[in-house]
Structures are given as C-alpha cells and as structure tokens.
Amino acid sequence: MFRIPRPSAGRPPRVYYVVLSLLLASVAVGAARAETVERTVAVQAAPAFVSDRLSVDVMGSGPDVILIPGYASSREVWRTEAERLAATHRVHLVQLAGFAGEPWSHGDGPFLQPALDELARYIGETGLDHPSVIGHSMGGLSALMLAQQHPDLIGRVMTVDSLPFFSALYGPTLTVDSVQEMAVRVSQMMLHTDAENFRAGQALGAPGLSRTPATQAAMVDWAMASDRQALATAIREVMTTDVRPQLADMTTPVWAVYAADEDGGAPAAMADAMWTREYISLPGVRLIRVDGSRHFIMADQPDRFAEIVEAFLTD
C-alpha cells in the first residue's frame, strides 16, 4: 500500500489530509464526465503558442484571467467556474505537462521553474495585459512565484487553499533543510509504488480532499493518467520550495482563500491560525475562509467560490 509519512499523534486530521493532497490527484468535476457534457461556452483556439511544458485553452472575451490547476490535476478542475467567467472575461485554462495525461518529455529534469518560465513567456508573447492569476494548491504556489519573479506581468493573484511553504502543514518549525529527507522519500515512493497500490492510495485519500463524491471518483483517474516521474519531481520541489522570505517585497495584490470544515476537515480556528501565520509577512493580503469545504473549494462550495472570484476580479 502506498503511504506517506503520518503526522504526529494528536495532530488534527485535516493537516494529514491536506498534506496528502499534495501526493494525490487534484480533483475536477469529472474529466471524463466533462467530455460528455455540452459546454455552453465555446473553447477558442489558443493563441499561437507552443510549449512542451504546458498548454492553454482560451474561452470568452474581456479582461484576462489565468487559471492554474494543482498537483496532478487537469484544467477541468476549473471548468464550471471558467464557463461562468467566460461571459465577461477571457479565460486561459492552463494544463501543466506531466499531469492528467498531458505528455511529459523531460525525464527527471526540473518541473516548477521551467513551467513558470513558459507561463511568463505565454503572457508576454500573447500580449496579455496584467492578467489576474488564480491557482489552486500547487497552482497557487506557482501563482505566487510568478508574481514574485515577474511583478510587471501580473495584475493580481488568488491562491486557493495554498500556502507559500507547503511543508509548514507538518509543523511551524520545519524548514527547507529539515524537510529535504522526507521530500526525497515521498518522491521515491511516488516513483516506485506499483499501479494497484498507487490507485488504492488515491482512493484512500480522496474523502479528505473533497466532500463531493463525484470529485473523489474523478481524482483517481487523474492521478493514474499522470506521469510518475513528473509527479515525483513536482512533489519533491513543492515540499522544498519556501517563498515566504519574498512575501514582504511583493507589490501584487493577493487574496488567499482557504477551507474549513468542522465535519472531517480543518476546524475554523486551526485554519485561521495557519493561514494567518503563513501569510503574515505579505502586505495587504486578504484572507478569506470558506466553511463547509475541504481542499477543493471550487468543487465543494462552487457558489460561494464564484462569489469570491467575482469580488476578487472587481476589487
């Protein structure tokens, strides 16, 4: 059975499950199901841009919004929200190579920084005007990094249940150095677990990530369609990337949306304390808690999430 290191005794269940979310497939409201549902908004041909690190679907017209999915996730995680936004915005749905069936051709080479470089190139070459960037989980970390590295390109950022140092979920005193060994161990498990046990691990963790049965089911297929080397590299990099030291110098407006769920997820007080602590050095950050949700807020509370996105884009 594929397992990750378990948290210490007495740690609230949500901490374990959110960390587990980095190792499991991200959720959509069914990739396979989405292909059979008639879409009310046509997907445009993406602007002339070719990359072996990511692809982009474009829909709608208006101010630009980039949506970045999380670890092992497909762009379909955003489909419901993207179709709503496309009535008033031009929506750019990113798919990262190596995840959810998108080809990976980079062996054991780096994952995060080359993808960020290509996303910055996409913004520049297609002439996007200070787009808003919304990222879930690992996608939220990517959005923060993009704004830190290219503040002249980005208009505003929203992170969705995402921290600037994911390994802080294991404890407030952890550092990049202290988590290195665990990150390597998790990466190796990702590579060497057989398919049957890997699938079983995804199913085991799914209920901790979403309250929605359909999203729990979709998660497994997305993980199985991801490239194992890409998963292993990405999780090691995410666990050992800490962008908190650069938060104080950021000038890009940031909203950080996070989940709380008294019935099997993070108690509100615990979630509030963690997100406040981890974003404390970011000037002007707006923290917004969504109750009754686990990690995949857009799936568990779609109406509330849509309200927050609308406020974010019009602020």
Side-chain angles (χ1 to χ4, degrees), residues 231-264:
L231 291 177
T233 300
I235 195 58
R236 186 180 68 248
E237 292 181 3
V238 168
M239 292 180 70
T240 56
T241 297
D242 184 356
V243 302
R244 291 175 300 183
Q246 293 78 45
L247 292 179
D249 296 326
M250 288 185 68
T251 57
T252 305
V254 176
W255 288 26
V257 180
Y258 60 99
D261 181 18
E262 300 291 340
D263 181 22

PDB file of all heavy atoms in Angstrom, residues 231-264:
ATOM      1  N   LEU A 231       5.231  13.508 -11.426  1.00  0.00           N
ATOM      2  CA  LEU A 231       4.668  13.582 -10.077  1.00  0.00           C
ATOM      3  C   LEU A 231       5.765  13.584  -9.023  1.00  0.00           C
ATOM      4  O   LEU A 231       5.717  14.359  -8.064  1.00  0.00           O
ATOM      5  CB  LEU A 231       3.735  12.395  -9.841  1.00  0.00           C
ATOM      6  CG  LEU A 231       2.421  12.357 -10.617  1.00  0.00           C
ATOM      7  CD1 LEU A 231       1.675  11.054 -10.302  1.00  0.00           C
ATOM      8  CD2 LEU A 231       1.542  13.563 -10.298  1.00  0.00           C
ATOM      9  N   ALA A 232       6.752  12.700  -9.196  1.00  0.00           N
ATOM     10  CA  ALA A 232       7.822  12.589  -8.208  1.00  0.00           C
ATOM     11  C   ALA A 232       8.644  13.870  -8.131  1.00  0.00           C
ATOM     12  O   ALA A 232       8.960  14.364  -7.039  1.00  0.00           O
ATOM     13  CB  ALA A 232       8.716  11.400  -8.564  1.00  0.00           C
ATOM     14  N   THR A 233       8.982  14.414  -9.286  1.00  0.00           N
ATOM     15  CA  THR A 233       9.769  15.645  -9.304  1.00  0.00           C
ATOM     16  C   THR A 233       8.977  16.811  -8.728  1.00  0.00           C
ATOM     17  O   THR A 233       9.488  17.595  -7.912  1.00  0.00           O
ATOM     18  CB  THR A 233      10.202  15.974 -10.740  1.00  0.00           C
ATOM     19  OG1 THR A 233      10.989  14.891 -11.252  1.00  0.00           O
ATOM     20  CG2 THR A 233      11.016  17.257 -10.775  1.00  0.00           C
ATOM     21  N   ALA A 234       7.730  16.924  -9.138  1.00  0.00           N
ATOM     22  CA  ALA A 234       6.914  18.051  -8.684  1.00  0.00           C
ATOM     23  C   ALA A 234       6.717  18.026  -7.183  1.00  0.00           C
ATOM     24  O   ALA A 234       6.809  19.071  -6.516  1.00  0.00           O
ATOM     25  CB  ALA A 234       5.572  18.044  -9.407  1.00  0.00           C
ATOM     26  N   ILE A 235       6.439  16.850  -6.599  1.00  0.00           N
ATOM     27  CA  ILE A 235       6.175  16.821  -5.168  1.00  0.00           C
ATOM     28  C   ILE A 235       7.430  17.138  -4.366  1.00  0.00           C
ATOM     29  O   ILE A 235       7.384  17.837  -3.346  1.00  0.00           O
ATOM     30  CB  ILE A 235       5.560  15.476  -4.727  1.00  0.00           C
ATOM     31  CG1 ILE A 235       4.955  15.594  -3.338  1.00  0.00           C
ATOM     32  CG2 ILE A 235       6.566  14.345  -4.776  1.00  0.00           C
ATOM     33  CD1 ILE A 235       3.885  16.638  -3.199  1.00  0.00           C
ATOM     34  N   ARG A 236       8.579  16.677  -4.853  1.00  0.00           N
ATOM     35  CA  ARG A 236       9.823  16.994  -4.154  1.00  0.00           C
ATOM     36  C   ARG A 236      10.085  18.499  -4.183  1.00  0.00           C
ATOM     37  O   ARG A 236      10.469  19.099  -3.170  1.00  0.00           O
ATOM     38  CB  ARG A 236      10.992  16.244  -4.797  1.00  0.00           C
ATOM     39  CG  ARG A 236      12.310  16.411  -4.043  1.00  0.00           C
ATOM     40  CD  ARG A 236      13.452  15.662  -4.700  1.00  0.00           C
ATOM     41  NE  ARG A 236      13.809  16.252  -5.984  1.00  0.00           N
ATOM     42  CZ  ARG A 236      13.626  15.674  -7.160  1.00  0.00           C
ATOM     43  NH1 ARG A 236      13.068  14.474  -7.235  1.00  0.00           N
ATOM     44  NH2 ARG A 236      13.991  16.287  -8.277  1.00  0.00           N
ATOM     45  N   GLU A 237       9.846  19.115  -5.337  1.00  0.00           N
ATOM     46  CA  GLU A 237      10.082  20.552  -5.445  1.00  0.00           C
ATOM     47  C   GLU A 237       9.082  21.361  -4.621  1.00  0.00           C
ATOM     48  O   GLU A 237       9.460  22.355  -3.977  1.00  0.00           O
ATOM     49  CB  GLU A 237      10.031  20.972  -6.913  1.00  0.00           C
ATOM     50  CG  GLU A 237      11.181  20.434  -7.740  1.00  0.00           C
ATOM     51  CD  GLU A 237      11.132  20.882  -9.185  1.00  0.00           C
ATOM     52  OE1 GLU A 237      10.227  21.656  -9.548  1.00  0.00           O
ATOM     53  OE2 GLU A 237      12.015  20.449  -9.945  1.00  0.00           O
ATOM     54  N   VAL A 238       7.830  20.962  -4.637  1.00  0.00           N
ATOM     55  CA  VAL A 238       6.822  21.685  -3.864  1.00  0.00           C
ATOM     56  C   VAL A 238       7.127  21.613  -2.373  1.00  0.00           C
ATOM     57  O   VAL A 238       7.035  22.612  -1.651  1.00  0.00           O
ATOM     58  CB  VAL A 238       5.414  21.129  -4.155  1.00  0.00           C
ATOM     59  CG1 VAL A 238       4.402  21.654  -3.146  1.00  0.00           C
ATOM     60  CG2 VAL A 238       4.973  21.507  -5.567  1.00  0.00           C
ATOM     61  N   MET A 239       7.510  20.442  -1.896  1.00  0.00           N
ATOM     62  CA  MET A 239       7.790  20.283  -0.474  1.00  0.00           C
ATOM     63  C   MET A 239       9.014  21.071  -0.022  1.00  0.00           C
ATOM     64  O   MET A 239       9.158  21.373   1.175  1.00  0.00           O
ATOM     65  CB  MET A 239       7.953  18.806  -0.139  1.00  0.00           C
ATOM     66  CG  MET A 239       6.681  17.991  -0.266  1.00  0.00           C
ATOM     67  SD  MET A 239       6.907  16.227   0.143  1.00  0.00           S
ATOM     68  CE  MET A 239       7.165  16.338   1.931  1.00  0.00           C
ATOM     69  N   THR A 240       9.908  21.413  -0.944  1.00  0.00           N
ATOM     70  CA  THR A 240      11.154  22.092  -0.572  1.00  0.00           C
ATOM     71  C   THR A 240      11.235  23.506  -1.148  1.00  0.00           C
ATOM     72  O   THR A 240      12.320  24.081  -1.245  1.00  0.00           O
ATOM     73  CB  THR A 240      12.371  21.273  -1.049  1.00  0.00           C
ATOM     74  OG1 THR A 240      12.290  21.053  -2.459  1.00  0.00           O
ATOM     75  CG2 THR A 240      12.421  19.935  -0.331  1.00  0.00           C
ATOM     76  N   THR A 241      10.107  24.064  -1.513  1.00  0.00           N
ATOM     77  CA  THR A 241      10.062  25.451  -2.008  1.00  0.00           C
ATOM     78  C   THR A 241       9.370  26.330  -0.977  1.00  0.00           C
ATOM     79  O   THR A 241       8.221  26.091  -0.613  1.00  0.00           O
ATOM     80  CB  THR A 241       9.310  25.525  -3.348  1.00  0.00           C
ATOM     81  OG1 THR A 241      10.022  24.776  -4.334  1.00  0.00           O
ATOM     82  CG2 THR A 241       9.178  26.979  -3.804  1.00  0.00           C
ATOM     83  N   ASP A 242      10.071  27.337  -0.503  1.00  0.00           N
ATOM     84  CA  ASP A 242       9.548  28.260   0.508  1.00  0.00           C
ATOM     85  C   ASP A 242       9.664  29.674  -0.032  1.00  0.00           C
ATOM     86  O   ASP A 242      10.764  30.225  -0.155  1.00  0.00           O
ATOM     87  CB  ASP A 242      10.360  28.110   1.800  1.00  0.00           C
ATOM     88  CG  ASP A 242       9.813  28.962   2.931  1.00  0.00           C
ATOM     89  OD1 ASP A 242       8.854  29.723   2.707  1.00  0.00           O
ATOM     90  OD2 ASP A 242      10.358  28.869   4.053  1.00  0.00           O
ATOM     91  N   VAL A 243       8.531  30.284  -0.381  1.00  0.00           N
ATOM     92  CA  VAL A 243       8.563  31.650  -0.931  1.00  0.00           C
ATOM     93  C   VAL A 243       8.189  32.692   0.123  1.00  0.00           C
ATOM     94  O   VAL A 243       8.015  33.868  -0.207  1.00  0.00           O
ATOM     95  CB  VAL A 243       7.639  31.774  -2.170  1.00  0.00           C
ATOM     96  CG1 VAL A 243       8.046  30.773  -3.238  1.00  0.00           C
ATOM     97  CG2 VAL A 243       6.175  31.626  -1.806  1.00  0.00           C
ATOM     98  N   ARG A 244       8.103  32.283   1.384  1.00  0.00           N
ATOM     99  CA  ARG A 244       7.763  33.246   2.438  1.00  0.00           C
ATOM    100  C   ARG A 244       8.776  34.383   2.567  1.00  0.00           C
ATOM    101  O   ARG A 244       8.377  35.520   2.817  1.00  0.00           O
ATOM    102  CB  ARG A 244       7.603  32.513   3.776  1.00  0.00           C
ATOM    103  CG  ARG A 244       6.388  31.608   3.854  1.00  0.00           C
ATOM    104  CD  ARG A 244       6.355  30.817   5.155  1.00  0.00           C
ATOM    105  NE  ARG A 244       7.539  29.975   5.297  1.00  0.00           N
ATOM    106  CZ  ARG A 244       7.736  29.139   6.317  1.00  0.00           C
ATOM    107  NH1 ARG A 244       6.830  29.054   7.287  1.00  0.00           N
ATOM    108  NH2 ARG A 244       8.832  28.398   6.374  1.00  0.00           N
ATOM    109  N   PRO A 245      10.087  34.116   2.395  1.00  0.00           N
ATOM    110  CA  PRO A 245      11.032  35.232   2.543  1.00  0.00           C
ATOM    111  C   PRO A 245      10.812  36.363   1.542  1.00  0.00           C
ATOM    112  O   PRO A 245      11.211  37.502   1.805  1.00  0.00           O
ATOM    113  CB  PRO A 245      12.397  34.552   2.319  1.00  0.00           C
ATOM    114  CG  PRO A 245      12.180  33.143   2.735  1.00  0.00           C
ATOM    115  CD  PRO A 245      10.784  32.820   2.277  1.00  0.00           C
ATOM    116  N   GLN A 246      10.192  36.065   0.401  1.00  0.00           N
ATOM    117  CA  GLN A 246       9.965  37.088  -0.622  1.00  0.00           C
ATOM    118  C   GLN A 246       8.597  37.775  -0.495  1.00  0.00           C
ATOM    119  O   GLN A 246       8.304  38.719  -1.234  1.00  0.00           O
ATOM    120  CB  GLN A 246      10.085  36.475  -2.012  1.00  0.00           C
ATOM    121  CG  GLN A 246      11.478  36.003  -2.385  1.00  0.00           C
ATOM    122  CD  GLN A 246      11.847  34.669  -1.756  1.00  0.00           C
ATOM    123  OE1 GLN A 246      11.049  33.733  -1.764  1.00  0.00           O
ATOM    124  NE2 GLN A 246      13.044  34.587  -1.216  1.00  0.00           N
ATOM    125  N   LEU A 247       7.752  37.321   0.428  1.00  0.00           N
ATOM    126  CA  LEU A 247       6.413  37.892   0.539  1.00  0.00           C
ATOM    127  C   LEU A 247       6.432  39.376   0.888  1.00  0.00           C
ATOM    128  O   LEU A 247       5.643  40.170   0.371  1.00  0.00           O
ATOM    129  CB  LEU A 247       5.591  37.130   1.586  1.00  0.00           C
ATOM    130  CG  LEU A 247       5.194  35.692   1.263  1.00  0.00           C
ATOM    131  CD1 LEU A 247       4.396  35.093   2.424  1.00  0.00           C
ATOM    132  CD2 LEU A 247       4.390  35.601  -0.028  1.00  0.00           C
ATOM    133  N   ALA A 248       7.326  39.764   1.765  1.00  0.00           N
ATOM    134  CA  ALA A 248       7.342  41.150   2.250  1.00  0.00           C
ATOM    135  C   ALA A 248       7.623  42.159   1.141  1.00  0.00           C
ATOM    136  O   ALA A 248       7.235  43.324   1.244  1.00  0.00           O
ATOM    137  CB  ALA A 248       8.377  41.298   3.361  1.00  0.00           C
ATOM    138  N   ASP A 249       8.285  41.707   0.088  1.00  0.00           N
ATOM    139  CA  ASP A 249       8.643  42.605  -1.003  1.00  0.00           C
ATOM    140  C   ASP A 249       7.618  42.606  -2.131  1.00  0.00           C
ATOM    141  O   ASP A 249       7.777  43.349  -3.105  1.00  0.00           O
ATOM    142  CB  ASP A 249      10.004  42.222  -1.579  1.00  0.00           C
ATOM    143  CG  ASP A 249      11.130  42.389  -0.563  1.00  0.00           C
ATOM    144  OD1 ASP A 249      11.049  43.328   0.259  1.00  0.00           O
ATOM    145  OD2 ASP A 249      12.080  41.589  -0.598  1.00  0.00           O
ATOM    146  N   MET A 250       6.567  41.816  -2.020  1.00  0.00           N
ATOM    147  CA  MET A 250       5.587  41.732  -3.097  1.00  0.00           C
ATOM    148  C   MET A 250       4.717  42.980  -3.155  1.00  0.00           C
ATOM    149  O   MET A 250       4.312  43.519  -2.121  1.00  0.00           O
ATOM    150  CB  MET A 250       4.707  40.492  -2.929  1.00  0.00           C
ATOM    151  CG  MET A 250       5.416  39.185  -3.215  1.00  0.00           C
ATOM    152  SD  MET A 250       4.283  37.752  -3.146  1.00  0.00           S
ATOM    153  CE  MET A 250       3.246  38.081  -4.594  1.00  0.00           C
ATOM    154  N   THR A 251       4.439  43.423  -4.362  1.00  0.00           N
ATOM    155  CA  THR A 251       3.543  44.560  -4.574  1.00  0.00           C
ATOM    156  C   THR A 251       2.257  44.142  -5.282  1.00  0.00           C
ATOM    157  O   THR A 251       1.313  44.937  -5.348  1.00  0.00           O
ATOM    158  CB  THR A 251       4.243  45.641  -5.410  1.00  0.00           C
ATOM    159  OG1 THR A 251       4.683  45.069  -6.654  1.00  0.00           O
ATOM    160  CG2 THR A 251       5.457  46.195  -4.662  1.00  0.00           C
ATOM    161  N   THR A 252       2.193  42.914  -5.784  1.00  0.00           N
ATOM    162  CA  THR A 252       1.000  42.408  -6.451  1.00  0.00           C
ATOM    163  C   THR A 252      -0.082  42.124  -5.417  1.00  0.00           C
ATOM    164  O   THR A 252       0.179  41.443  -4.416  1.00  0.00           O
ATOM    165  CB  THR A 252       1.321  41.106  -7.210  1.00  0.00           C
ATOM    166  OG1 THR A 252       2.406  41.344  -8.113  1.00  0.00           O
ATOM    167  CG2 THR A 252       0.105  40.597  -7.973  1.00  0.00           C
ATOM    168  N   PRO A 253      -1.304  42.618  -5.599  1.00  0.00           N
ATOM    169  CA  PRO A 253      -2.382  42.285  -4.647  1.00  0.00           C
ATOM    170  C   PRO A 253      -2.633  40.776  -4.615  1.00  0.00           C
ATOM    171  O   PRO A 253      -2.679  40.120  -5.663  1.00  0.00           O
ATOM    172  CB  PRO A 253      -3.591  43.025  -5.222  1.00  0.00           C
ATOM    173  CG  PRO A 253      -3.013  44.108  -6.074  1.00  0.00           C
ATOM    174  CD  PRO A 253      -1.750  43.548  -6.658  1.00  0.00           C
ATOM    175  N   VAL A 254      -2.807  40.233  -3.411  1.00  0.00           N
ATOM    176  CA  VAL A 254      -3.017  38.796  -3.239  1.00  0.00           C
ATOM    177  C   VAL A 254      -4.215  38.544  -2.336  1.00  0.00           C
ATOM    178  O   VAL A 254      -4.320  39.141  -1.255  1.00  0.00           O
ATOM    179  CB  VAL A 254      -1.769  38.109  -2.639  1.00  0.00           C
ATOM    180  CG1 VAL A 254      -2.052  36.626  -2.368  1.00  0.00           C
ATOM    181  CG2 VAL A 254      -0.569  38.265  -3.561  1.00  0.00           C
ATOM    182  N   TRP A 255      -5.100  37.672  -2.788  1.00  0.00           N
ATOM    183  CA  TRP A 255      -6.157  37.109  -1.949  1.00  0.00           C
ATOM    184  C   TRP A 255      -5.821  35.649  -1.702  1.00  0.00           C
ATOM    185  O   TRP A 255      -5.467  34.919  -2.649  1.00  0.00           O
ATOM    186  CB  TRP A 255      -7.523  37.209  -2.628  1.00  0.00           C
ATOM    187  CG  TRP A 255      -8.100  38.583  -2.708  1.00  0.00           C
ATOM    188  CD1 TRP A 255      -7.425  39.765  -2.725  1.00  0.00           C
ATOM    189  CD2 TRP A 255      -9.488  38.914  -2.802  1.00  0.00           C
ATOM    190  NE1 TRP A 255      -8.297  40.814  -2.814  1.00  0.00           N
ATOM    191  CE2 TRP A 255      -9.569  40.327  -2.872  1.00  0.00           C
ATOM    192  CE3 TRP A 255     -10.669  38.159  -2.842  1.00  0.00           C
ATOM    193  CZ2 TRP A 255     -10.786  40.998  -2.968  1.00  0.00           C
ATOM    194  CZ3 TRP A 255     -11.882  38.824  -2.944  1.00  0.00           C
ATOM    195  CH2 TRP A 255     -11.944  40.216  -3.004  1.00  0.00           C
ATOM    196  N   ALA A 256      -5.913  35.205  -0.475  1.00  0.00           N
ATOM    197  CA  ALA A 256      -5.668  33.813  -0.124  1.00  0.00           C
ATOM    198  C   ALA A 256      -6.964  33.213   0.424  1.00  0.00           C
ATOM    199  O   ALA A 256      -7.417  33.582   1.512  1.00  0.00           O
ATOM    200  CB  ALA A 256      -4.545  33.705   0.908  1.00  0.00           C
ATOM    201  N   VAL A 257      -7.559  32.319  -0.337  1.00  0.00           N
ATOM    202  CA  VAL A 257      -8.825  31.684   0.015  1.00  0.00           C
ATOM    203  C   VAL A 257      -8.510  30.303   0.570  1.00  0.00           C
ATOM    204  O   VAL A 257      -7.726  29.552  -0.025  1.00  0.00           O
ATOM    205  CB  VAL A 257      -9.738  31.580  -1.224  1.00  0.00           C
ATOM    206  CG1 VAL A 257     -11.062  30.924  -0.865  1.00  0.00           C
ATOM    207  CG2 VAL A 257      -9.961  32.958  -1.839  1.00  0.00           C
ATOM    208  N   TYR A 258      -9.107  29.955   1.702  1.00  0.00           N
ATOM    209  CA  TYR A 258      -8.778  28.676   2.327  1.00  0.00           C
ATOM    210  C   TYR A 258     -10.026  28.023   2.912  1.00  0.00           C
ATOM    211  O   TYR A 258     -11.049  28.669   3.136  1.00  0.00           O
ATOM    212  CB  TYR A 258      -7.700  28.844   3.400  1.00  0.00           C
ATOM    213  CG  TYR A 258      -8.060  29.769   4.540  1.00  0.00           C
ATOM    214  CD1 TYR A 258      -8.518  29.270   5.752  1.00  0.00           C
ATOM    215  CD2 TYR A 258      -7.924  31.153   4.411  1.00  0.00           C
ATOM    216  CE1 TYR A 258      -8.841  30.118   6.803  1.00  0.00           C
ATOM    217  CE2 TYR A 258      -8.240  32.005   5.449  1.00  0.00           C
ATOM    218  CZ  TYR A 258      -8.697  31.487   6.646  1.00  0.00           C
ATOM    219  OH  TYR A 258      -9.013  32.315   7.688  1.00  0.00           O
ATOM    220  N   ALA A 259      -9.922  26.712   3.133  1.00  0.00           N
ATOM    221  CA  ALA A 259     -11.075  25.906   3.509  1.00  0.00           C
ATOM    222  C   ALA A 259     -11.108  25.613   5.003  1.00  0.00           C
ATOM    223  O   ALA A 259     -10.074  25.521   5.665  1.00  0.00           O
ATOM    224  CB  ALA A 259     -11.063  24.588   2.738  1.00  0.00           C
ATOM    225  N   ALA A 260     -12.323  25.447   5.507  1.00  0.00           N
ATOM    226  CA  ALA A 260     -12.547  24.951   6.865  1.00  0.00           C
ATOM    227  C   ALA A 260     -13.779  24.075   6.838  1.00  0.00           C
ATOM    228  O   ALA A 260     -14.737  24.347   6.114  1.00  0.00           O
ATOM    229  CB  ALA A 260     -12.737  26.091   7.850  1.00  0.00           C
ATOM    230  N   ASP A 261     -13.738  22.995   7.621  1.00  0.00           N
ATOM    231  CA  ASP A 261     -14.851  22.049   7.631  1.00  0.00           C
ATOM    232  C   ASP A 261     -14.875  21.359   8.986  1.00  0.00           C
ATOM    233  O   ASP A 261     -13.994  20.567   9.309  1.00  0.00           O
ATOM    234  CB  ASP A 261     -14.667  21.020   6.505  1.00  0.00           C
ATOM    235  CG  ASP A 261     -15.795  20.014   6.436  1.00  0.00           C
ATOM    236  OD1 ASP A 261     -16.873  20.294   7.000  1.00  0.00           O
ATOM    237  OD2 ASP A 261     -15.601  18.950   5.813  1.00  0.00           O
ATOM    238  N   GLU A 262     -15.862  21.662   9.761  1.00  0.00           N
ATOM    239  CA  GLU A 262     -15.947  21.101  11.108  1.00  0.00           C
ATOM    240  C   GLU A 262     -16.309  19.617  11.100  1.00  0.00           C
ATOM    241  O   GLU A 262     -16.182  18.937  12.106  1.00  0.00           O
ATOM    242  CB  GLU A 262     -16.994  21.869  11.928  1.00  0.00           C
ATOM    243  CG  GLU A 262     -16.702  23.355  12.084  1.00  0.00           C
ATOM    244  CD  GLU A 262     -15.484  23.638  12.961  1.00  0.00           C
ATOM    245  OE1 GLU A 262     -15.087  22.751  13.740  1.00  0.00           O
ATOM    246  OE2 GLU A 262     -14.947  24.756  12.852  1.00  0.00           O
ATOM    247  N   ASP A 263     -16.737  19.109   9.951  1.00  0.00           N
ATOM    248  CA  ASP A 263     -17.148  17.709   9.829  1.00  0.00           C
ATOM    249  C   ASP A 263     -16.131  16.938   8.994  1.00  0.00           C
ATOM    250  O   ASP A 263     -16.361  16.592   7.832  1.00  0.00           O
ATOM    251  CB  ASP A 263     -18.538  17.634   9.188  1.00  0.00           C
ATOM    252  CG  ASP A 263     -19.045  16.202   9.057  1.00  0.00           C
ATOM    253  OD1 ASP A 263     -18.549  15.337   9.800  1.00  0.00           O
ATOM    254  OD2 ASP A 263     -19.932  15.968   8.216  1.00  0.00           O
ATOM    255  N   GLY A 264     -14.958  16.708   9.561  1.00  0.00           N
ATOM    256  CA  GLY A 264     -13.955  15.901   8.889  1.00  0.00           C
ATOM    257  C   GLY A 264     -12.842  16.681   8.230  1.00  0.00           C
ATOM    258  O   GLY A 264     -11.912  16.077   7.683  1.00  0.00           O
TER     259      GLY A 264
END
